[in-house]
Amino acid sequence: RIVAGDFTIYWRWYGDASWADGTCTEVLVRNDGPAVARWSLELELDAVFTTWIDEGGAFFWPSGSTLGIEPLDVPSLGAGDSMLSWYCAEPRVHIVDGVVVAVPRDAVGLGVSE
């Protein structure tokens, strides 16, 4: 679990325990603060992916030892809401930190940008 401002990031490995070179990872982002109109997530990893296999629930951008995540369909996240996504890749990495960039719902239309 990682607390990033008004957000909590939960992650866990799942799937085939015999897959020693990689794993599938679920990432859940929960909004513990006010509703946001748009958000994205940047995770810091303890290693660099060598093979990207599959994903779901979000757009993923691996780049070096970081992983960018953006929602697939609805960019907003209400107070108390969460979004679940997943990916499968090699090697099996630990998520060591995370940053959520969010635009509050009441800031939309006021010239506020990410």
Side-chain angles (χ1 to χ4, degrees), residues 13-14 19-25 45 48-55 60 62 67 86-93:
W13 293 325
Y14 71 96
W19 181 17
D21 294 334
T23 192
C24 293
T25 303
L45 311 172
V48 175
F49 292 120
T50 57
T51 305
W52 190 262
I53 297 168
D54 201 6
E55 70 212 34
F60 292 85
L67 177 61
W86 59 270
Y87 66 87
C88 299
E90 294 178 350
R92 183 178 300 199
V93 301

Side-chain angles (χ1 to χ4, degrees), residues 8-73:
T8 304
I9 303 162
Y10 298 91
W11 68 277
R12 74 177 183 101
W13 293 325
Y14 71 96
D16 187 357
S18 66
W19 181 17
D21 294 334
T23 192
C24 293
T25 303
E26 284 184 336
V27 178
L28 183 126
V29 177
R30 185 182 71 208
N31 182 3
D32 299 319
V36 296
R38 292 185 306 276
W39 66 275
S40 63
L41 173 63
E42 186 173 293
L43 301 176
E44 181 183 339
L45 311 172
D46 70 344
V48 175
F49 292 120
T50 57
T51 305
W52 190 262
I53 297 168
D54 201 6
E55 70 212 34
F59 293 108
F60 292 85
W61 286 275
S63 177
S65 62
T66 62
L67 177 61
I69 302 175
E70 290 187 20
L72 251 180
D73 298 322

